[in-house]
């Protein structure tokens, strides 16, 4: 929804259903008013929506959130200890996947990113061998999660970015399934 459509220049995600007018998806309200911004990323068959909401009146503190059918809510899904998380996808049962920052190490400004699945509580997904961070982008009805994990020293050629499947609690680097000597490198 355009910025100029809302007071104070807020940007909000929106839900359109048929010929009905758009419904603005609010951020997570602060005691002093409504949330500043929201972003909708996916909708499931029952009509739940997942995305990211500003927390209170801050544009920099953003959490994964899920709106109910028809845009009701949102529910703050929290983080894995850091200040930021994003919801990317959800299945028909309402399980959400995305990424969250972990709490920063002493002397650091922010923590590393980790893929998560939320099913009433946010759970960090394991990393493939050698990876230092990850993001989840999709989930199917069987609970399989797809995303990306990064290994150190990948440089700008995307060699450090690795397409990843999480199945039954295991992180699988999809590049390991390619035939030996393959010219392909899967990143997402």
């Amino acid at each position: 929804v355009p910025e100029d459509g809302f007071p104070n220049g807020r940007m909000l995600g929106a839900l359109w259903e048929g010929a009905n007018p758009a419904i603005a998806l609010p951020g997570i309200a602060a005691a002093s008013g409504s949330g500043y911004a929201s972003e909708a990323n996916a909708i499931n068959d029952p009509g739940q929506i997942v995305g990211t909401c500003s927390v209170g009146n801050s544009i920099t503190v953003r959490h994964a959130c899920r709106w109910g059918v028809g845009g009701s809510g949102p529910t703050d899904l929290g983080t894995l200890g850091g200040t930021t998380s994003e919801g990317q996808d959800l299945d028909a049962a309402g399980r959400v996947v995305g990424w969250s920052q972990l709490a920063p190490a002493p002397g650091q400004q922010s923590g590393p990113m980790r893929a998560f699945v939320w099913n009433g509580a946010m759970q960090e997904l394991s990393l493939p061998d050698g990876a230092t961070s990850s993001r989840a982008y999709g989930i199917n009805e069987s609970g399989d999660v797809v995303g990306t994990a990064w290994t150190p020293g990948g440089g700008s050629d995307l060699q450090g970015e690795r397409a990843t499947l999480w199945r039954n609690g295991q992180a699988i680097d999809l590049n390991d399934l390619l035939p030996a000597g393959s010219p392909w490198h899967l990143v997402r």
Side-chain angles (χ1 to χ4, degrees), residues 91-92 95 139-145 166-168:
D91 66 7
R95 293 178 293 192
I139 183 170
N140 68 15
E141 300 310 316
S142 298
D144 296 332
V145 177
W166 288 271
R167 177 178 281 161
N168 300 323

Side-chain angles (χ1 to χ4, degrees), residues 11-23:
M11 290 180 50
L12 300 174
L15 168 65
W16 284 271
E17 292 182 297
N20 298 321
I23 298 169

Side-chain angles (χ1 to χ4, degrees), residues 9-127:
R10 294 184 297 150
M11 290 180 50
L12 300 174
L15 168 65
W16 284 271
E17 292 182 297
N20 298 321
I23 298 169
L25 300 172
I28 299 165
S32 62
S34 63
Y36 181 80
S38 66
E39 174 184 308
N41 291 326
I43 186 169
N44 63 12
D45 287 339
Q48 296 169 314
I49 303 164
V50 69
T52 305
C53 295
S54 62
V55 177
N57 293 321
S58 172
I59 191 66
T60 58
V61 178
R62 297 170 51 91
H63 288 183
C65 58
R66 186 181 72 179
W67 293 271
V69 175
S72 64
T75 299
D76 183 347
L77 307 185
T79 71
L80 293 170
T83 58
T84 302
S85 62
E86 288 191 14
Q88 295 293 315
D89 194 24
L90 74 169
D91 66 7
R95 293 178 293 192
V96 174
V97 297
W99 64 271
S100 174
Q101 286 180 317
L102 299 178
Q108 300 293 313
Q109 291 184 335
S110 63
M113 294 179 292
R114 291 292 193 276
F116 74 79
V117 63
W118 182 93
N119 191 19
M122 190 175 284
Q123 297 177 313
E124 180 180 345
L125 295 173
S126 62
L127 292 172

